[in-house]
Amino acid sequence: MKHKPLPIGVEDFKRLVDNGYYFVDKTLMIKELLENKETVNLFTRPRRFGKTLNMSMLQRFFEATEKSNAYLFDGLKIAAYPEYMAYQGQYPVISISLKSMKQKNFTLAFETYKYLIKSEYSRHKDFIFSKNVLDEEEKARFLSFIQVDATETMYNQAIGFLSNCLKKAYQQNVIILIDEYDVPLENAYHEGFYDDMTNLIRSCFESALKTNPSLEFAVLTGCLRVSRESIFTGLNNLKTYSITKNKFSQYFGFTQEEMKEILQAFSLEQYAGTIAKWYDGYRFGLTEIYNPWSVLNCIDSYLQNDMVACEPYWSNTSSNRIVKRLIEESNERTKSMVEELINGTPIHTQIFEDVTYGTIDVNQDYIWSFLLFTGYLKIISCETIGNETYYDMVIPNVEIKSIYKNTIRSWFIDHVNRDSRTDILESVIHADAEKLEDLLCTWLTNTISCFDEQENYYHGFVTGLVSGFNGYMVVSNRESGNGRFDLVVKQRSRWHHAAILEFKVVEKYNQMTKACEDALKQIEEKDYEASLRDEQYENIAKLGICFCQKRCRVKSGGVDHFEY
């Protein structure tokens, strides 16, 4: 059976329809927007949840074009409402995406913005000039944006001025669409020019959205809520629809009913449970939502008969740079709460709707609001105590849990003290149990742990600490002798030193010593040294290591010396 192609990475609504891609129909969002009658609408959702495609859909619906786009909506849900289809193709539209303003410094970001403005002016130039509605001064000003020689002050008014020109030409108010408004703000936060970028965004958008008589309505998208204090001072016509609001909740991501239809369309109903475990779990308002980007990639893998279909696709495209930074800079209480999340325990905290990149460092508790709005947490319940509301939140699904764990493990490698890790390696190679125990206990105390994987977690923890050294190789879970050892560290070239590490995990501290002894006994009985003897290693250390939460016990079986 031939299926429709999957629209992975397709963000142009016209291309999607014209090329027959599978489409999850979100067109009733148009009806709801028209009924809503709000002047400025902001939708905040995590990255890759369909914001850009929806913005393209809105542009194709409302924009007046030489060739009608009405056919794109044939057979879709909005077509059942002729009173709303009457709005199709009736407005001039300004559509700008700020995704490309992710630059290394403010100068490059501002230059990118200039060319975004140039592109939008160029798109509308022929129609506006054909109507001969601009005076000579307005024509010169218009052309200066196309020639990219307008003054910096003029760019503050660029969107507002273009909307005025469009209204004169069309005799109709303008719809303004601004996609991913906060991408340049997030980038500027990381790169160190957040204040300059905030000033640019504020000055460029105020004339377009605050005091613009040519505006019919506007739609903005981003991850975080616009802070009136930092971006749109005095903007009183802004309506924000965050993930905590129920209105419009079904239009970003896939609902349960939509997922059922998708799996039926591609004959993959048998994988419903697995896909739900990995990519379900988000809650926008009262609506349960699947991550659309990950679902589409997973379905494609199933259709291609890949060995592994369910993977953390979202983490490969959505920046987790901010998550890593927040965890690295967190205090002990925050680290403890992250551990609770990873281990499946809900956290209980407040949520601040107005959190922005510029305020993250003001209050350590802002981290939870940020993680919620960017897709790393979900609300499961809330309660109001006095004038304050507290939320219980958990990690949404397996995919997001893997991001937390991978971020933590990369943190071990990227931000370790090199000398401390060298001491660990030397203690392993020379079977210095007392020193190794002290070092591992210090690391366990100062870092974030996830105990739900038990031995696998500690295995990855130690592997990260002893990896990456020139002249040494780390081998994990390899057969040797009569069994499979946990970890071997060995010199690459001289074949003098190697070490066998066997891990145990116990629930009670008084069980740790015996578990270390059992680990050493296992090394001997299963002859894990066999492959190292075959490779003619001269000095082979043996270590039994036991973990109990953030405690560690190490016992040495000594170093066996061989002459060949």
Side-chain angles (χ1 to χ4, degrees):
M1 178 181 176
K2 187 173 173 120
H3 303 104
K4 286 188 174 184
L6 290 163
I8 298 174
V10 179
E11 297 180 326
D12 181 347
F13 181 76
K14 186 175 187 300
R15 180 188 167 201
L16 186 148
V17 175
D18 285 345
N19 289 280
Y21 286 99
Y22 185 87
F23 177 56
V24 177
D25 192 341
K26 302 289 186 179
T27 56
L28 289 185
M29 180 183 180
I30 298 165
K31 173 178 176 289
E32 201 160 337
L33 267 175
L34 290 168
E35 291 172 344
N36 213 35
K37 300 188 183 301
E38 296 288 351
T39 307
V40 182
N41 306 268
L42 170 68
F43 296 98
T44 59
R45 294 293 187 277
R47 306 283 183 229
R48 293 290 193 180
F49 270 75
K51 297 188 298 292
T52 299
L53 179 59
N54 278 348
M55 293 290 263
S56 176
M57 176 186 73
L58 295 178
Q59 180 180 352
R60 298 297 183 182
F61 184 85
F62 287 109
E63 189 164 43
T65 53
E66 184 178 349
K67 183 179 178 182
S68 173
N69 281 321
Y71 76 95
L72 296 174
F73 299 89
D74 289 346
L76 298 181
K77 293 177 181 178
I78 191 66
Y81 297 88
E83 66 273 31
Y84 295 106
M85 283 301 298
Y87 289 89
Q88 199 285 318
Q90 298 302 305
Y91 295 90
V93 174
I94 296 173
S95 179
I96 297 175
S97 172
L98 302 189
K99 286 181 182 179
S100 59
M101 288 179 67
K102 199 172 182 179
Q103 303 295 333
K104 283 289 183 183
N105 55 57
F106 179 73
T107 300
L108 290 175
F110 187 45
E111 285 298 310
T112 303
Y113 180 72
K114 289 180 179 179
Y115 280 91
L116 291 173
I117 293 297
K118 172 186 176 178
S119 176
E120 197 63 7
Y121 269 73
S122 299
R123 194 169 72 87
H124 292 292
K125 173 181 174 292
D126 289 346
F127 185 85
I128 292 174
F129 275 58
S130 71
K131 294 298 182 180
N132 200 28
V133 292
L134 305 183
D135 61 30
E136 292 305 313
E137 182 181 342
E138 289 171 329
K139 287 181 181 178
R141 184 178 178 186
F142 193 102
L143 291 173
S144 70
F145 289 111
I146 293 178
Q147 293 158 2
V148 199
D149 59 7
T151 66
E152 185 170 333
T153 303
M154 290 168 67
Y155 277 100
N156 295 343
Q157 307 291 323
I159 298 175
F161 177 64
L162 178 56
S163 64
N164 293 336
C165 295
L166 286 167
K167 181 173 181 179
K168 285 184 177 182
Y170 283 90
Q171 293 296 298
Q172 178 64 278
N173 279 347
V174 177
I175 293 173
I176 297 176
L177 307 175
I178 300 173
D179 191 30
E180 302 284 19
Y181 89 91
D182 63 339
V183 165
L185 294 171
E186 178 189 5
N187 177 70
Y189 169 72
H190 289 300
E191 300 295 344
F193 56 94
Y194 182 80
D195 289 342
D196 287 336
M197 183 55 66
T198 300
N199 291 333
L200 173 64
I201 298 297
R202 180 194 300 119
S203 61
C204 290
F205 291 172
E206 271 191 349
S207 66
L209 304 176
K210 181 182 175 183
T211 56
N212 185 359
S214 301
L215 178 65
E216 181 70 13
F217 69 84
V219 178
L220 292 81
T221 71
C223 268
L224 296 188
R225 173 175 176 168
V226 173
S227 169
R228 292 182 174 89
E229 291 72 28
S230 65
I231 304 295
F232 293 116
T233 305
L235 184 66
N236 55 13
N237 60 347
L238 171 70
K239 185 68 174 180
T240 301
Y241 300 98
S242 73
I243 63 173
T244 63
K245 302 296 188 291
N246 195 49
K247 198 170 184 62
F248 293 98
S249 61
Q250 70 271 40
Y251 298 122
F252 299 90
F254 296 154
T255 66
Q256 286 279 22
E257 187 59 35
E258 288 166 344
M259 271 304 307
K260 183 178 178 181
E261 293 173 1
I262 293 168
L263 294 176
Q264 287 176 348
F266 291 93
S267 303
L268 296 173
E269 296 94 326
Q270 68 268 38
Y271 300 113
T274 303
I275 292 175
K277 182 179 176 182
W278 270 82
Y279 311 119
D280 189 11
Y282 298 94
R283 187 168 295 277
F284 298 164
L286 300 176
T287 307
E288 189 173 343
I289 294 292
Y290 286 69
N291 182 322
W293 173 257
S294 298
V295 165
L296 291 177
N297 278 279
C298 179
I299 288 175
D300 184 58
S301 288
Y302 275 125
L303 295 176
Q304 301 297 328
N305 294 315
D306 291 340
M307 291 181 65
V308 178
C310 289
E311 298 181 48
Y313 299 103
W314 191 67
S315 66
N316 294 331
T317 58
S318 180
S319 171
N320 60 7
R321 184 179 177 186
I322 188 67
V323 178
K324 189 175 180 187
R325 175 170 175 171
L326 290 171
I327 290 175
E328 290 167 2
E329 296 175 357
S330 61
N331 57 29
E332 288 303 315
R333 175 174 170 271
T334 302
K335 287 180 180 177
S336 176
M337 291 174 74
V338 171
E339 286 180 352
E340 290 177 13
L341 283 168
I342 293 172
N343 295 317
T345 303
I347 61 167
H348 187 73
T349 186
Q350 288 181 279
I351 292 299
F352 302 91
E353 290 267 359
D354 278 325
V355 63
T356 66
Y357 298 98
T359 60
I360 287 172
D361 299 323
V362 174
N363 183 338
Q364 187 67 220
D365 286 339
Y366 284 172
I367 182 176
W368 312 116
S369 304
F370 191 91
L371 292 175
L372 172 66
F373 294 127
T374 52
Y376 293 93
L377 290 175
K378 82 161 180 178
I379 296 170
I380 57 173
S381 64
C382 64
E383 65 173 340
T384 300
I385 303 174
N387 295 324
E388 297 179 337
T389 300
Y390 290 83
Y391 296 84
D392 288 321
M393 296 186 291
V394 296
I395 295 173
N397 50 45
V398 172
E399 178 177 46
I400 301 303
K401 196 169 192 177
S402 73
I403 295 173
Y404 278 84
K405 291 178 179 178
N406 291 336
T407 299
I408 291 166
R409 286 174 181 167
S410 68
W411 182 56
F412 291 153
I413 306 303
D414 294 343
H415 293 269
V416 290
N417 179 295
R418 182 79 185 186
D419 293 336
S420 174
R421 288 183 59 224
T422 300
D423 288 344
I424 288 175
L425 179 66
E426 290 178 353
S427 300
V428 167
I429 288 297
H430 297 293
D432 188 339
E434 184 176 351
K435 185 176 181 180
L436 179 60
E437 182 177 305
D438 288 342
L439 290 168
L440 290 179
C441 284
T442 299
W443 274 86
L444 285 167
T445 300
N446 294 333
T447 56
I448 299 167
S449 306
C450 46
F451 305 121
D452 66 321
E453 288 185 340
Q454 293 294 312
E455 189 173 319
N456 284 340
Y457 163 70
Y458 295 110
H459 192 140
F461 168 72
V462 177
T463 300
L465 293 176
V466 297
S467 297
F469 289 93
N470 289 332
Y472 287 87
M473 179 185 300
V474 177
V475 183
S476 179
N477 291 318
R478 197 75 60 81
E479 287 187 4
S480 180
N482 301 313
R484 185 182 292 269
F485 58 71
D486 281 338
L487 200 70
V488 160
V489 181
K490 55 186 180 180
Q491 289 182 317
R492 287 178 180 270
S493 55
R494 291 176 294 168
W495 291 282
H496 291 322
H497 294 281
I500 304 168
L501 289 72
E502 188 65 26
F503 304 118
K504 299 294 181 182
V505 178
V506 296
E507 295 182 357
K508 297 180 180 180
Y509 300 131
N510 61 10
Q511 299 171 334
M512 296 178 74
T513 300
K514 184 178 184 304
C516 288
E517 294 169 353
D518 289 344
L520 290 172
K521 184 177 180 181
Q522 183 175 326
I523 292 173
E524 295 292 344
E525 289 181 349
K526 293 186 178 295
D527 193 22
Y528 288 156
E529 289 178 305
S531 61
L532 295 172
R533 289 197 305 270
D534 290 344
E535 295 178 55
Q536 297 190 338
Y537 276 92
E538 299 170 3
N539 305 285
I540 302 175
K542 291 168 285 187
L543 293 161
I545 304 176
C546 180
F547 296 96
C548 183
Q549 296 199 18
K550 289 208 168 192
R551 292 193 188 181
C552 174
R553 184 69 48 81
V554 180
K555 292 290 182 183
S556 169
V559 179
D560 287 347
H561 304 281
F562 298 93
E563 293 184 7
Y564 300 97

